[in-house]
Structures are given as C-alpha cells and as structure tokens.
Amino acid sequence: MQTFQIATIPGDGIGPEVVAEGVKVLDAVSALDGSFAFDYTEFPWGCEYYLREGEMMPADGIERLSGFDAIFLGAVGYPGVPDHVSLRDLLLRIRHDFDQYVNVRPVRLLKGAPCPLAGVDAADIDMTFIRENSEGEYAGSGAWLYRGTPREVVIQDGVFSRHGTERIIRYAFELARREGKSVTSISKGNALNYSMVFWDQVFEEVASEYPDVETHSYLVDAASMLMVRDPGRFEVVVTSNLFGDILTDLGAAIAGGMGLAAGANLNPERAFPSMFEPIHGSAPDIAGRGIANPLAMVWSASQLLDHVGQGAWARLVLGAIERVLVDGTCLTPDLGGSASTAEVGDAVVKAIQAMHAEGEIG
Ligand code: NAD
Ligand code: IPM
Ligand code: MN
C-alpha cells in the first residue's frame, strides 16, 4: 500500500468547509482503489491563528511542510487581518518558497455547468491557463518613501527574469505539444515597455524551438474581450502572474462560476511539494453557512490525484463532478440549487462509486 502524505491548510472562511469535502472525495477514491491511501496532517494556520499568535504560520512553517507529497489548501484572507499581510505571509509565501512557479488553472465548461455567454458553443470553452506564479508583478519588490508625507512615493516593481520567463513559457509549449494544442501568450508590450516587450521576445524565442506548435499572441485588454466573444480560440494560454490572476476569475465567470474554478501550484521538478487550491477566496459573504460550492476544491483534488500518479482516478473524479452537474438535483445556491456543501460532497462520492461499479476504473 502506497501512502501519500498530505498537508491540509483549511485556512479561512469557506476554506475549512470545502477542504472537508475534498478530503471526503480523496478518501472515497483511495478506499475504492485499495492500493493507495492518504495520510493527512492538518495545519491550523490562517487569520484566526494570526490574531492569536501574531503570525500567519510559525517561523518553521515552510520547513514543516517541506516533507509532504502535496499541500491541500482551502482559502486564506479574512476581514480583520490586512490582506497584504495574510496572503503574503502564508499563501504567497508557500508558492514562492516552494518555487511553485506553474499555476495550472483549467477554464473548461464542464457538462451541465451554466454558461452566461450567448451565441457561444459551450464546447469551445476549454482552455488551460499556465500562469507564471513566482515573480512578475507579485515579486514583492518596491519601496514606500516619505510615507505619510506630502512627498509620498510608492514603487511596485514588476520582476521578469529570463530564467522565470523562459521556464513558464517552455512549460506551456511542452504541454501544448503533448496535447496537440496551440499556445496563446497574453501580454501588454504596447504599454509595459520593459517587462512585456521582454516577455514577447522570450515567447518568440521559445516558440522557434516548437515549430510544430501553433501560436497566438494577444494584448491583455483584447484577450479579455476575446475570452467573452470568442473563447474557442484559446487552448493553452501562458501569461504573467497578475494577468493570470485576473483572467482566471474572468474564466471562472464564463465556465460555471467561482465555485467551479480549480487550480494547482506546481513545482514541476518536484524538489518541493506542490499545492492544490481552488482559485476562489474565503468568501466571507457566505462563510459559516454550509452553502459554499465544494466542486472547485474537488476539481483541485482531481489535480492532486493526477500529480501523485493517479491520472485515471483524476479523470473519473472530473467525470463524477459532471454527473452531479448534469443531474442537477444536488447543487449549491451559486448554481441555482439548495443543497449544502456536505450534500454536494456526498453526491460526488456517490457518483464516483457508481462510475466505479459501472466498471469505468478499478
Ligand atoms: P472570493 O473568491 O472569496 O469571493 C468572490 C465571490 O464569489 C463572493 O460573492 C463569494 O461568495 C463567491 N464564491 C467564491 N467561492 C465560492 C464557492 N466555493 N461557492 C460559492 N460562492 C463562492 O473573493 P473576494 O471576496 O474578493 O475575497 C475574499 C477574501 O479571500 C479576501 O481576503 C481575499 O484576499 C481572499 N482570497 C484568497 C484566495 C486564496 O486563498 N487563494 C483567492 C482569492 C481571494
Ligand atoms: C488567487 C488569489 C491570490 C492571487 C491572492 C489572494 C493573493 O487571488 O489565488 O487567485 O492573486 O494569486
Ligand atoms: Mn485570484
């Protein structure tokens, strides 16, 4: 029996509510398979911890996470703790210190999921965003001079290294080549005359190594319009940290909503653990009511399964999410239903068990 060591960080707001359902699904899968299991260690870090302890995680937090096979995180951030403290000291710290430089965010309209776009073929919403996740606009470099005086000056640097830019673009090309898809770069060279001109140049250089892969390049403003008007033209998409953050919330909006948007923060070299988390936040407006949609977290669990070498189960879990969506009788309020978070988790488990019994895997 192979046992995967998973660090869970339920975090804030709806984080704990959705992590519980993700764990439920992972356990259902391992029980059906029988050849592997998950062993969880929960870390109670987040905003409540901060208010008690004065820090988002202990000083040796990163070290304590470093031995795990994967990190399963709910959400971080809550009113009462400034976002730039809570996120920088926990979520962004983990992404950065574990060099999780690839943020894979599927924007795929699953069967049965609602789509607000008129005149768009639902099958055309099938993109994989490869968001640069280690530097760029999120590098945390800058200065605040003459603070609080009339001479106040604030500088926030965008940091684009050749190493960082090349590796994320190359990751996108490798993925596209494997899957027979095109790569689209999204940048803003017409205004950001250093960082994005450099990004475009590196994109062209790397593209020349992949003559078999079709490429497109759009400015971020036009790209956001095209994602709504003509999403079918996007397949593998590579973009910077901030643009990827913004465009994947737009992606969520056209592909079923925040409750369905999953993400994986990968260190492809596996020198450090990777982290699996939905792209939504702690949703303070609905936290504690048991109505958060757990499907984004469950999809992230599917990405985790893929990461630990259980690709067939990963696909089955995605299929089970689609079953629950198509069935339509057990959905949370964001998808027009009246089911609770736990009921939707249970429905996914039932769908997994049914698909397994039908011989889809095992
Ligand atoms: P949010 O994603 O938490 O919520 C945006 C809207 O989407 C809200 O109306 C919320 O109710 C809804 N929503 C989100 N997830 C949902 C789900 N699973 N089911 C049903 N509805 C869902 O974004 P926000 O309100 O801008 O941020 C809240 C806090 O979370 C802030 O502190 C922010 O910094 C933080 N945040 C954290 C992460 C993360 O941990 N990865 C991501 C985004 C925001
Ligand atoms: C996300 C979030 C984070 C980000 C925030 C909370 C720092 O919005 O994961 O999309 O911008 O990366
Ligand atoms: Mn975001």
Side-chain angles (χ1 to χ4, degrees):
M1 166 89 72
Q2 197 177 8
T3 301
F4 301 114
Q5 298 296 334
I6 309 296
T8 63
I9 306 177
D12 304 315
I14 63 169
E17 302 170 41
V18 296
V19 163
E21 303 313 308
V23 164
K24 194 187 269 180
V25 164
L26 288 173
D27 283 344
V29 163
S30 62
L32 286 172
D33 185 279
S35 75
F36 64 91
F38 294 101
D39 187 19
Y40 308 95
T41 306
E42 185 174 311
F43 295 92
W45 304 336
C47 289
E48 273 179 37
Y49 184 91
Y50 179 89
L51 293 174
R52 238 180 15 250
E53 309 288 337
E55 53 192 3
M56 288 300 292
M57 67 172 148
D60 64 350
I62 290 292
E63 197 184 316
R64 285 166 65 183
L65 292 173
S66 62
F68 285 88
D69 293 308
I71 302 165
F72 199 53
L73 181 140
V76 180
Y78 215 70
V81 180
D83 268 357
H84 67 273
V85 173
S86 57
L87 276 310
R88 259 242 170 247
D89 291 357
L90 186 53
L91 181 80
L92 296 180
R93 173 95 194 275
I94 295 171
R95 288 181 187 165
H96 179 269
D97 285 16
F98 288 148
D99 203 17
Q100 296 166 347
Y101 64 87
V102 182
N103 190 194
V104 182
R105 295 186 159 185
V107 175
R108 186 181 324 154
L109 187 67
L110 297 182
K111 281 186 215 130
C115 177
L117 302 183
V120 162
D121 186 350
D124 278 344
I125 303 181
D126 187 1
M127 329 173 187
T128 306
F129 266 78
I130 304 299
R131 168 191 180 192
E132 204 295 318
N133 212 31
S134 67
E135 52 173 38
E137 308 87 341
Y138 280 47
S141 159
W144 199 320
L145 306 175
Y146 312 115
R147 197 170 187 150
T149 76
R151 298 167 65 203
E152 203 159 30
V153 176
V154 177
I155 301 166
Q156 185 90 45
D157 301 315
V159 175
F160 290 76
S161 66
R162 175 163 282 280
H163 173 70
T165 307
E166 258 185 42
R167 68 181 177 175
I168 195 67
I169 292 173
R170 190 163 278 115
Y171 186 93
F173 272 97
E174 288 294 328
L175 175 68
R177 176 178 272 174
R178 265 199 316 279
E179 298 193 343
K181 298 198 165 146
S182 64
V183 179
T184 296
S185 165
I186 297 180
S187 60
K188 186 68 186 172
N190 55 356
L192 304 183
N193 55 332
Y194 298 108
S195 58
M196 290 293 159
V197 171
F198 175 71
W199 175 283
D200 289 343
Q201 180 191 312
V202 174
F203 183 73
E204 275 181 31
E205 284 170 18
V206 176
S208 71
E209 297 171 31
Y210 297 83
D212 51 312
V213 177
E214 183 185 324
T215 62
H216 306 274
S217 184
Y218 299 119
L219 297 163
V220 65
D221 45 356
S224 49
M225 178 275 293
L226 288 168
M227 275 179 69
V228 171
R229 295 296 300 269
D230 187 15
R233 62 172 80 199
F234 298 92
E235 294 182 346
V236 173
V237 181
V238 65
T239 191
S240 72
N241 212 330
L242 180 62
F243 292 172
D245 175 49
I246 297 167
L247 292 173
T248 53
D249 264 34
L250 174 62
I254 63 170
M258 294 307 291
L260 267 171
N265 304 275
L266 303 180
N267 173 253
E269 291 75 25
R270 294 176 187 258
F272 307 103
S274 291
M275 175 164 67
F276 300 82
E277 46 148 359
I279 81 169
H280 63 69
S282 60
D285 53 338
I286 58 164
R289 292 163 52 195
I291 57 165
N293 188 345
L295 294 176
M297 189 83 240
V298 171
W299 193 339
S300 301
S302 160
Q303 292 181 303
L304 188 156
L305 283 162
D306 207 23
H307 184 72
V308 299
Q310 301 296 334
W313 281 111
R315 286 187 291 280
L316 187 132
V317 167
L318 211 49
I321 296 175
E322 285 191 320
R323 263 198 199 203
V324 170
L325 289 169
V326 169
D327 173 67
T329 59
C330 185
L331 300 174
T332 43
D334 57 305
L335 294 178
S338 57
S340 70
T341 308
E343 284 166 347
V344 172
D346 291 342
V348 175
V349 168
K350 271 204 196 108
I352 291 169
Q353 289 164 343
M355 291 168 80
H356 180 257
E358 289 157 19
E360 288 216 17
I361 201 175

